[in-house]
Amino acid sequence: YSSAASDVYKRQFVCYIIAILILKTKLNEKRVNFMNIIPKPQKITFSGKYVPHGSVNESVDADMGKEEYSLKINRDGVFLKGGSERALHYADITYKQILREDGNMLPECEIRDKPVFSYRGFMVDVCRHFFTVEEIKKIIDAAAMLKFNYFHFHLSDDQGFRAEIKKHPELSLVGGSREGSHFGKKENDDSVYSHFYTRAQLKEIAEYCKERYIEVIPEIDIPGHASAILQAYPELSCNKEQVKAKTSQGIFKDLLCAGNPATLKLIYDILDELCDIFPGKYFHLGGDEAPKDKWKKCPKCQSKIRELGLKNEEELHCSLVNRAAEYLEKKGRRVICWNEAANGGILDKNITLAYWLDKAGVSVKRANEGCPVIIEKFKPYYADYPYGMYPLKDVYMFDPKSIKGLTETGKKSIVGVETPIWTEYITDFERLCYMCFPRWFAVADTAWNGRDEKNYREFRLAAKSYCDALRKMGVSSAPECDWDESPQKRLRETLAFADNLMTKNMLRQLLNVEE
Ligand code: ACM
Ligand code: ZN
């Protein structure tokens, strides 16, 4: 009899424990829901209670930082405070996120928040594949929700020039076309590919961004990645040959001639018009992957080197970019360049370097001298690589200040981070969204919070909730099973990626065989 009673007690005890565990999980879920904000706010105080919706009050507090805000929810209402209209906008985004999660009742809480980095960027390459204004707007909406503040618009590359320039309509009419698309083994298409944005469309995008406190940074890549410009203006190539816009991926030897005065004249004209359309602080002058073979053989380039007393072609590269930067600085602009632009050693110290792959170590050197640097290290911030190569967790855990060799000054010179999406292998909007989301959530979190206090489990839960929100905005994302794949699947995706891009053209380049 007594053993039966003890069995009943045992069973009751187990039931109690289970009930307590379920209750605890439910409470945690509620708490986790409340924490579903990306980027995660710096400081959240939650009373554990929920209150009914009250009236929403907004005010600007001049004592707060320009991007700093606070958000208080209690029985008296909702109180948003920010150091500027922009900061209030961020407070509002956070508030909407809480609303989205918590429906009828709101958590009684106080949030104090400000970003660690002033530069929080995302880049879209519209040259390899083009995306419509409506698609670009959707990406901007998604980025705005993540508190990104710079849209780096990659408008010119070997495969197409995508901005209408009134004074030089050939740039988009001729330079905006290529004779096919042969990106990798899978994407082979011989049809003519012609696209560009009209000035009105570019203005529309600029305005759309402004309303969301995002600055557009247009990029015109010089002196390399310039085949599309040269297709329109062959006289600007070193040997005046008819260059064609490229139909495949790669690094090409067709550079703008740095010894021809008409080159800078054309660049100035492009800068004039794009500065007019995009009124922000920054302009991007590219500067990556520019093999100097043709400059070495060009009498004009060589005579320019002598005229300016330069040592070599790398210095000539710096000098050309410096001239364009000087022109932009006179208009009150700041210039960003990819890290290779500094390889020559004489790049203007005011220019911000974008670190992506820096074999020469110039980014770290300049950062340590106090020059501004943006971190967009290709591994893991390039969203065009498959999840199998750059899984979500790696993107989330990446520390932008972990670049080897940075001193304390160097770390302070990191103004922010950016995540680019190159589109050689991204032919449609669905794929673009799949590649960017949720990985851009992870970059946004680091852009706002730096790398301290990471909690990947919590972040994943928040990411799920954000994917739902994106879906409602017409932006899809990668399914959860693809975020962090098994080692076998990772190996398979890596091999498939390499196999797809190993076209004949790529092999030719690797072996350095002339076309
Ligand atoms: C780059 O990926 N070429 C900047
Ligand atoms: Zn030349």
Side-chain angles (χ1 to χ4, degrees), residues 278-292:
F278 299 111
K281 175 169 78 169
Y282 285 115
F283 202 104
H284 203 302
L285 288 175
D288 56 324
E289 301 175 321
K292 308 293 183 308

Side-chain angles (χ1 to χ4, degrees), residues 245-360:
K246 302 297 184 279
T247 65
S248 63
Q249 78 276 37
I251 301 171
F252 302 96
K253 291 175 182 166
D254 300 299
L255 270 55
L256 293 167
C257 178
N260 184 345
T263 293
L264 266 173
K265 242 169 128 271
L266 177 76
I267 292 170
Y268 292 160
D269 286 346
I270 298 173
L271 300 184
D272 280 345
E273 289 198 26
L274 290 181
C275 282
D276 199 31
I277 292 168
F278 299 111
K281 175 169 78 169
Y282 285 115
F283 202 104
H284 203 302
L285 288 175
D288 56 324
E289 301 175 321
K292 308 293 183 308
D293 307 53
K294 292 191 179 170
W295 281 9
K296 284 188 179 138
K297 293 183 199 148
C298 170
K300 281 207 211 77
C301 285
Q302 291 305 314
S303 120
K304 196 74 184 171
I305 287 176
R306 283 191 299 275
E307 178 197 322
L308 299 174
L310 302 173
K311 286 200 203 82
N312 52 35
E313 292 75 23
E314 288 305 329
E315 283 199 357
L316 183 61
H317 181 156
C318 291
S319 160
L320 181 79
V321 174
N322 284 346
R323 293 285 302 280
E326 213 175 278
Y327 190 77
L328 284 164
E329 279 159 16
K330 279 196 196 122
K331 291 172 181 282
R333 301 302 177 106
R334 294 208 57 156
V335 171
I336 304 176
C337 284
W338 298 112
N339 54 246
E340 297 99 309
N343 285 359
I346 56 162
L347 193 76
D348 179 347
K349 297 281 161 134
N350 287 322
I351 293 176
T352 299
L353 272 205
Y355 171 105
W356 74 280
L357 170 68
D358 189 355
K359 290 185 194 142

